[in-house]
Amino acid sequence: MPTSAPIQHKKFEFGTVFGDGGRVLAEQQREKKAFTPDEVEAIRAQAYADGEASALARAQMAQAAAIQALADAAHQGLGSINDAVNHYKQACVDLALICAQKIAAEALAQFPQAPVVATLEALGQEIETTTRLIVHANNPSEELKAAAMEAGAYAGFAGQIQFRDKPAFPKGAFEILWSEGRAEFNPQQVTEALEKALHEALEADAYHQSRAHGAHS
């Protein structure tokens, strides 16, 4: 035999409870079904204000999201711009080095004795008291020898200059030895040192840019 569901009893609630002398002690809240025009207008104004506040909040949220999206796009764009700038800086340095090498090679071809002359003139007092200079160079020409002796005399050197061939030296390179010192010039080493210094400067600049970019992101 099927079991019937238990009967649900609803608690009886009194509408209004009166006390002694007819004083109202409690009164059940009834749903209001009729409103005056003023009440209707107040409800409508409150609903409009609530809707306007909700729409404003949604608009502010959308605006904040759009600003964040623009900031993210600008952040990514700035990184790309920095990469492009660094790339062009590198290209400019490489091009400048190529031009410098070509200009230096052409100048050395036109005036091969100029570096030796400039070095002897710069030594000045350092070679005045020595009695002999030894100049190592790759196949030193007669023009180079004459220019070196003239420059030594102009610098105050009154001793002897000896020239020795160094086939292993690149064109334009030389080494000057005396009893108390040594001076040398190698155009290849100068170019390599200049290239290294410029690239290190570029790397340092890129590093500081990345640090600054990260600090503002």
Side-chain angles (χ1 to χ4, degrees):
M1 181 176 181
T3 304
S4 60
I7 300 174
Q8 298 291 332
H9 297 282
K10 182 178 180 181
K11 183 180 178 181
F12 178 79
E13 296 179 351
F14 293 94
T16 304
V17 180
F18 297 93
D20 296 338
R23 183 168 57 87
V24 177
L25 299 179
E27 186 175 4
Q28 184 179 10
Q29 295 294 330
R30 292 187 176 87
E31 183 180 356
K32 191 171 184 179
K33 296 182 179 179
F35 297 91
T36 65
D38 291 340
E39 290 175 332
V40 170
E41 179 60 25
I43 294 172
R44 187 198 66 79
Q46 183 61 43
Y48 179 82
D50 292 343
E52 187 177 44
S54 178
L56 179 60
R58 290 196 298 271
Q60 290 176 340
M61 291 176 62
Q63 184 182 28
I67 292 174
Q68 184 61 45
L70 289 174
D72 293 341
H75 180 77
Q76 295 177 357
L78 183 58
S80 299
I81 290 174
N82 286 336
D83 291 341
V85 170
N86 291 332
H87 173 75
Y88 286 120
K89 283 182 179 180
Q90 178 68 53
C92 290
V93 166
D94 293 339
L95 180 60
L97 286 171
I98 293 173
C99 294
Q101 290 175 1
K102 290 187 176 296
I103 293 172
E106 184 64 25
L108 195 58
Q110 294 293 326
F111 308 99
Q113 69 277 11
V116 174
V117 171
T119 302
L120 289 171
E121 291 178 350
L123 289 174
Q125 295 180 351
E126 294 189 41
I127 61 174
E128 282 183 352
T129 58
T130 190
T131 59
R132 184 179 65 166
L133 293 177
I134 300 176
V135 179
H136 294 159
N138 185 343
N139 191 22
S141 64
E142 294 302 321
E143 291 81 4
L144 175 64
K145 295 177 181 179
M149 289 187 288
E150 181 179 354
Y154 180 80
F157 173 71
Q160 180 185 11
I161 300 180
Q162 296 179 355
F163 296 89
R164 296 179 182 176
D165 185 20
K166 282 287 185 179
F169 279 15
K171 184 178 180 180
F174 62 85
E175 181 183 46
I176 302 175
L177 301 175
W178 64 98
S179 59
E180 297 180 356
R182 173 177 172 272
E184 66 176 345
F185 172 76
N186 188 323
Q188 290 183 358
Q189 292 179 355
V190 171
T191 301
E192 291 172 359
L194 178 61
E195 182 177 4
K196 181 180 179 182
L198 288 174
H199 286 165
E200 288 178 349
L202 282 178
E203 291 174 0
D205 182 61
Y207 172 76
H208 290 304
Q209 283 186 4
S210 64
R211 290 287 300 273
H213 179 59
H216 290 87
S217 62

